[in-house]
Amino acid sequence: MSKFKLANIFAYGFVTLFSIYVLLPIIVMILTTFKTRKEIFLEPLGLPGQFNFSSFEKALSIGLGGFIFNSFLVSLFSVILIVIISGMAAYVLARIDFRINRYVYLLIVAGFAIPPAAVLVPLYVTVSNLGLLNSIYGVVMPLTAFGIPFTVILFYAFFLDFPKEVEEAATIDGCSKMQIFFRIIIPLSGPAIASAAIFQTVWIWNEFLLALIMLTSDEVKTLPLGLMKLRGEWSSDWPSIMAGLTIAILPVLIVFLIFQKYFVRSLAGLGK
Amino acid sequence: MNKTQINSIGFSLSSDRVSVIILLIPALIFCTVFIFIPAFWAIVGSFYSYGMTSLNDWKWVGFDNYIKASQDEFFWIALKNNFIIVFASIVLQVGVGTILAAILDRGIKYGKVIFRTIIFTPMVISSVAVSIIWLLIYDPNFGILNNILKAIGLPTPTMGWLGDPDISIWMIMIVAGWQNTGFMMVLILAGLQGVSKEVYDAAEIDGATGVKAFWYITLPMIRNILIVAILITTIGAFKVFEFVYVLTQGGPSNATQVLGTYIYLQAFNLLHMGYANALSVILLIIALILGWFQLKASRRA
């Protein structure tokens, strides 16, 4: 019995300690937001003397709203493109016995393995040649391309488990493959679409490297670039920097806490 | 309709050939234009010398860029750091993630959802934001880490947590672990929940409970998920960019460079486009080898 209790104490102790490690930086961020610059220098470990909202005003005045809006547009366009294009391709791979499918699948897996840094210079030249530097489409296009392989693999596994009978019935009724895909498969693929969309949104909302090389003027910068700008311009004005981070992070955290069941489910499915 | 041929899974060949092409082509175009053709040009460009302002002025240099890399101390540091990150991530993220998953699966009764939610949260925060928060925590003057250590009378590193080349890469790993361990935990937890209760009942009859049951029964049963977790972590470790870029910019004196940041430095700060391509090709080869392992693992699973 005593051995059982010890194991229990260890189990709760371990997850509690790890949870503190996770929560501490978030608490530091929020508390620092309300402190004055004098307070963080004199009492780095203390609580804020009073709730001081001036940091929020300063953070908003630098145009954080614009960065959030740009990130929203980039995520929205990229995720819609990724989901539709990947779904179509995965359907062909999973359902239609086409000679080139084997090679297409190999290409897709190769595409999944290649990181943006491995094609950085030519990718920059490509986007530049398309005239898309300093345009959000200059990141939407490559991000879509880099999101497709993984999403195809995800949908492919889903479509393989999909019952064939419905499609066979539709074929007998004279539907083409295109009609079957858009009228039957898409409406029945809710869970797979949700998984793919959630995963890609998290990735694209936070993507930094491609945005860093493609977007240099402030009007088109995405949120991670905007946060770097705060950091660069205010160097040691930590309350304002943390206010900026809080504004940037809080909406995502709230959405996550509301939908956390779906987030967890969608990411957990990746191991299958 | 009557004239068209119906095959085993029931589709008409003539019209479907068109459908197939229309459904497949957008994915192929995107990947070709933004991944495969750039990969091809990275390989070609690695045999030339050129800069940002002279994109049309390529000079053939043969294998010079690769020879330069083999003699470049910082390239080797970057490569070594990527391997350190691979191994440290496997231990910290997959290892600790497995322990956390095991505890949440069968080790505790209360608060499972709360703990899981808290530990998973960092996954949805941008790496840039995460890194900036940790910059403040590590700050020698304002940071809580130094101030806590001072308050309990422990020594603090004289060059700062991120300024000491011996420890800075490990400080980056603490941040990476903070963000990614929860993801691994959730991934492995899904695998653990697939292990049926009967298996544990049978194990208990044979005298295996608790840690023993976990080690001998559970771990072998979730082997495939662990392999996937290790592969995702390894591939991720070669994609590391934000943590290093924000926390140390590759410093102090290039001690924390990784391939991603070093390629960026060579290409967009020093404008050595040809050399950056050679480094990219090395990363490309590593990535494709890992991709091949991924393919093998997923087929077995």
Side-chain angles (χ1 to χ4, degrees), chain B residues 5-205:
Chain B
Q5 207 181 337
I6 308 283
N7 84 345
S8 60
I9 63 161
F11 67 89
S12 50
L13 281 175
S14 49
S15 72
D16 277 323
R17 196 163 288 252
V18 180
S19 301
V20 163
I21 289 168
I22 294 173
L23 289 171
L24 210 47
I25 260 184
L28 289 179
I29 288 179
F30 265 94
C31 291
T32 305
V33 171
F34 295 104
I35 303 177
F36 300 126
I37 293 177
F40 169 77
W41 281 113
I43 296 168
V44 173
S46 70
F47 295 104
Y48 288 83
S49 166
Y50 62 105
M52 180 84 83
T53 50
S54 54
L55 286 176
N56 300 317
D57 178 26
W58 289 29
K59 194 166 130 264
W60 172 264
V61 294
F63 280 92
D64 281 7
N65 285 324
Y66 292 96
I67 295 166
K68 185 176 164 194
S70 75
Q71 294 160 347
D72 181 351
E73 180 196 352
F74 300 136
F75 160 70
W76 289 109
I77 291 176
L79 191 62
K80 191 187 85 189
N81 280 333
N82 274 115
F83 278 102
I84 289 177
I85 294 172
V86 168
F87 290 112
S89 305
I90 290 174
V91 173
L92 293 173
Q93 293 162 26
V94 183
V96 174
T98 307
I99 296 173
L100 289 167
I103 292 175
L104 289 193
D105 185 38
R106 291 176 59 82
I108 60 171
K109 256 199 188 121
Y110 306 104
K112 284 183 185 186
V113 175
I114 294 174
F115 282 124
R116 189 191 68 190
T117 307
I118 291 173
I119 297 172
F120 186 73
T121 299
M123 192 62 205
V124 300
I125 302 176
S126 90
S127 305
V128 171
V130 167
S131 304
I132 295 174
I133 300 173
W134 281 89
L135 266 182
L136 170 60
I137 292 172
Y138 288 153
D139 190 283
N141 298 316
F142 309 112
I144 60 162
L145 187 57
N146 261 9
N147 284 291
I148 289 175
L149 289 178
K150 275 181 202 156
I152 54 177
L154 288 174
T156 56
T158 44
M159 287 176 283
W161 293 100
L162 296 166
D164 184 337
D166 292 331
I167 57 170
S168 45
I169 188 78
W170 300 102
M171 292 293 121
I172 291 172
M173 287 315 304
I174 288 176
V175 183
W178 185 84
Q179 177 150 50
N180 297 328
T181 307
F183 176 36
M184 286 298 131
M185 178 194 75
V186 164
L187 195 74
I188 295 161
L189 189 56
L192 289 177
Q193 282 160 351
V195 179
S196 72
K197 201 177 169 297
E198 284 80 39
V199 174
Y200 291 105
D201 293 342
E204 210 173 323
I205 293 167

